Amino acid sequence: MRRCDLIVLGAGPAGAEAALAASGAGLDVVLVEEAAAAGGQVWRAPAAASPPGLDPFPAEAEARAGAALRARLAASPVESWFGARAWSVIRPAEGGFRLDAAGPEGPLACAAPRLVAATGAVERVIPFPGWTLPGVIGLAAATVLLKAQGVLPGQRVVVAGCGPLLAAVAAKILAAGGEVVAVVDRAAPAEWLAASRALASRPRLLARGLGWALRIAGRRVPVHFAHAVRAAEGDEALRRLRIAPLDASGGFAPGGAERVLEADALCIGDGLVPGAEIPRLLRARLRFDRALGGWVPELDAEGRTSLPGLFAVGDGAGLRGQAPAVHAGRIAGLAAAQEAGRLDAAAFAAATAPERAALAGLAPFAAAMAGLMALRPGAVRDIAPETVICRCEDVTRGMLDAAFDEGAREVNQVKHFTRCGMGPCQGRSCGDVAAEIIAARLGGAREAAGFWTGRPPLRPVPLADLLGEFDYADIPIPAPAPL
Ligand SMILES: Cc1cc2nc3c(=O)[nH]c(=O)nc-3n(C[C@H](O)[C@H](O)[C@H](O)COP(=O)(O)OP(=O)(O)OC[C@H]3O[C@@H](n4cnc5c(N)ncnc54)[C@H](O)[C@@H]3O)c2cc1C
């Protein structure tokens, strides 16, 4: 068991910066990350360097920022456990936190009085008939393919959903020589217009977004605003999509004309949901905040949750994006150092002042982005009864409605009735949509629908990692009961 001053779970922008700040202030830090390198979703490291001149996806600002972060971590005293999937975090009787992970060479465990949860966001997909066909992948998964593997998602790709990742993915596919058949955006032009003032508060990012839009327009890729995918069709793999216009609630407009798009790949993402699994697992207080993407931990200004010693930062604590994740991570890392007595009040105030100012300046942009990715109230209304919601356990919308009709009134009851969310992903893919369906049946009260109780394992894990090293001969066998 490795003992340290601070465990940081997640080496994206938030976690890596928290670890660096805490370590810079003198804490002994263990940083746990399931990927092979730091960077998280936005600064994901490529799987292998392409030979010079052969890189199909030339380095962008994000790739350079990721490389710089990895270099800073490598030069720091932070002990990074890469390739380590954390599957359990508990609060042992003696206090603090114990984290167990499945490492590349077997089980790993560490304990510390404080823990920063920086586990990022998960992607939401609003299910439709055919969404489980080969060829249909998450928009976020497409960014992984493009950034880490240097692979195009297909020959003829439709990019659909909502938020800034739409244009980013479409532009990246085009830049790599791929074909984008169409972009299908849930947002209406008026929603983009309404967000434009806040987006203009970060001119460089706005310019980058406009660059993507120009590339898409320059290649005459049709953009269908206020539309969504109604069905994906094909025999063994995706062949075509049917898309239809949306009404103001985000549901399909009654009588709206459908269009058919021929495609062999669909990259779809209907926004992100905060991955607040550690606060949920440890029973920290949560609150539902639609503007932040869903259930988020209650936090103070330094990222402290309601549990002493537990901090939460980055998208896992509420969707704000990469730049706020950096500053929130640094503040939490410094706060952990102050709690441990490594920084006095004056040094802490001086070190965190620029981070707090930067966070405040970034707030309007972050809110506008989260707003564009928010779940629209009508979005789940039109999901057909036979559509699979929980793909791990094959639970359909009709089964969720039947559970409600039989008396299930919140998501944990629905889980017991149907097994929805009980599969290997532990509800990370279906949880938000299932809760929204139940909330709609309750008259829209999302808080009343609740959230799934957090339980280990956080990730699928081999039994050998749970058991660790043991010998059958060492297992005590109780004496048989006398006859
Ligand atoms: C798949 C995906 C792709 C995205 N792509 C982009 C993009 O291209 N551009 C952009 O601007 N924004 C993108 N975003 C949004 C972006 O993730 C955030 O704004 C930003 O990266 C948030 O930083 P973070 O540190 O909070 O989380 P992340 O960057 O998500 O980092 C969280 C880290 O925690 C690790 N982790 C989580 N759980 C465990 C566990 N149990 N064990 C071990 N490690 C764990 C993850 O592997 C990850 O590296 C994407 C989001 C997602 C979900």
Side-chain angles (χ1 to χ4, degrees):
M1 162 83 70
R2 167 78 160 87
R3 293 188 187 278
C4 59
D5 297 326
L6 178 69
I7 301 169
V8 179
L9 176 55
E17 292 292 348
L20 284 165
S23 158
L27 293 191
D28 175 19
V29 182
V30 171
L31 175 62
V32 182
E33 168 58 54
E34 64 185 327
Q41 303 298 356
V42 59
W43 295 334
R44 183 173 288 276
S50 302
L54 288 182
D55 186 352
F57 305 105
E60 291 178 350
E62 280 171 5
R64 288 193 295 274
L69 178 78
R70 289 184 279 281
R72 281 168 60 218
L73 263 180
S76 79
V78 172
E79 184 173 316
S80 298
W81 293 1
F82 293 125
R85 259 174 303 140
W87 59 267
S88 162
V89 178
I90 58 165
R91 298 172 76 202
E94 64 268 23
F97 301 88
R98 175 192 161 126
L99 179 148
D100 283 87
E105 280 148 30
L108 291 166
C110 54
R114 291 175 188 81
L115 186 142
V116 174
T119 49
V122 284
E123 187 163 51
R124 177 197 298 121
V125 175
I126 298 167
F128 48 86
W131 75 295
T132 51
L133 272 175
V136 180
I137 64 167
L139 199 54
T143 71
V144 177
L145 272 186
L146 290 159
K147 284 185 203 176
Q149 312 294 332
V151 170
L152 285 169
Q155 305 283 325
R156 291 172 52 78
V157 187
V158 171
V159 180
C162 59
L165 277 180
L166 275 184
V169 167
K172 210 160 173 74
I173 292 172
L174 292 172
E179 183 185 351
V180 177
V181 176
V183 174
V184 183
D185 191 343
R186 283 186 173 270
E191 288 176 68
W192 281 101
L193 211 60
S196 60
R197 215 167 130 208
L199 300 186
S201 67
R202 296 190 63 194
R204 274 179 52 200
L205 283 191
L206 181 64
R208 210 165 98 198
L210 289 174
W212 294 333
L214 281 176
R215 187 178 288 167
I216 292 165
R219 298 284 286 272
R220 299 185 188 286
V221 175
V223 180
H224 302 284
F225 288 108
H227 275 67
V229 175
R230 187 152 222 171
E233 296 169 353
D235 318 321
E236 289 178 351
L238 177 66
R239 295 274 171 267
R240 76 196 69 80
L241 296 161
R242 288 191 287 121
I243 65 167
L246 301 175
D247 62 20
S249 78
F252 288 108
E258 274 189 8
R259 286 166 203 260
V260 175
L261 304 174
E262 304 288 330
D264 65 357
L266 167 65
C267 306
I268 184 160
D270 296 310
L272 302 174
V273 181
E277 52 219 49
I278 302 300
R280 204 155 47 89
L281 183 69
L282 295 176
R283 314 291 188 255
R285 276 200 302 275
L286 304 185
R287 65 188 178 89
F288 185 79
D289 188 334
R290 207 171 270 280
L292 288 178
W295 287 101
V296 290
E298 285 183 15
L299 298 179
D300 73 3
E302 276 101 38
R304 282 184 198 84
T305 67
S306 60
L307 289 185
L310 178 66
F311 295 77
V313 291
D315 277 2
L319 301 180
R320 292 184 181 85
Q322 165 263 310
V326 163
H327 301 292
R330 287 181 189 152
I331 292 171
L334 292 166
Q338 191 203 16
E339 279 188 8
R342 306 298 168 93
L343 283 178
D344 63 26
F348 177 68
T352 52
E355 310 298 340
R356 292 181 205 274
L359 257 187
L362 292 166
F365 185 92
M369 280 296 157
L372 286 166
M373 288 193 283
L375 187 60
R376 287 144 176 86
V380 304
R381 186 186 65 204
D382 303 314
I383 299 177
E386 63 281 7
T387 303
V388 169
I389 305 292
C390 168
R391 53 196 302 171
C392 298
E393 294 289 330
D394 272 342
V395 179
T396 62
R397 194 239 164 96
M399 291 158 80
L400 297 183
D401 281 330
F404 186 90
D405 293 338
E406 285 163 24
R409 286 294 176 273
E410 62 88 55
V411 287
N412 290 294
Q413 291 170 345
V414 169
K415 182 175 180 176
H416 297 146
F417 278 45
T418 63
R419 294 190 58 82
C420 185
M422 268 193 209
C425 93
Q426 285 292 290
R428 275 184 299 143
S429 323
C430 63
D432 193 58
V433 169
E436 193 73 11
I437 289 173
I438 299 307
R441 295 291 309 269
L442 288 168
R446 183 62 194 270
E447 283 83 350
F451 52 85
W452 280 328
T453 309
R455 298 194 196 290
L458 295 165
R459 294 281 191 272
V461 65
L463 265 181
D465 282 356
L466 301 182
L467 298 173
E469 290 286 314
F470 79 97
D471 199 319
Y472 278 106
D474 297 336
I475 299 176
I477 300 175
L483 287 175

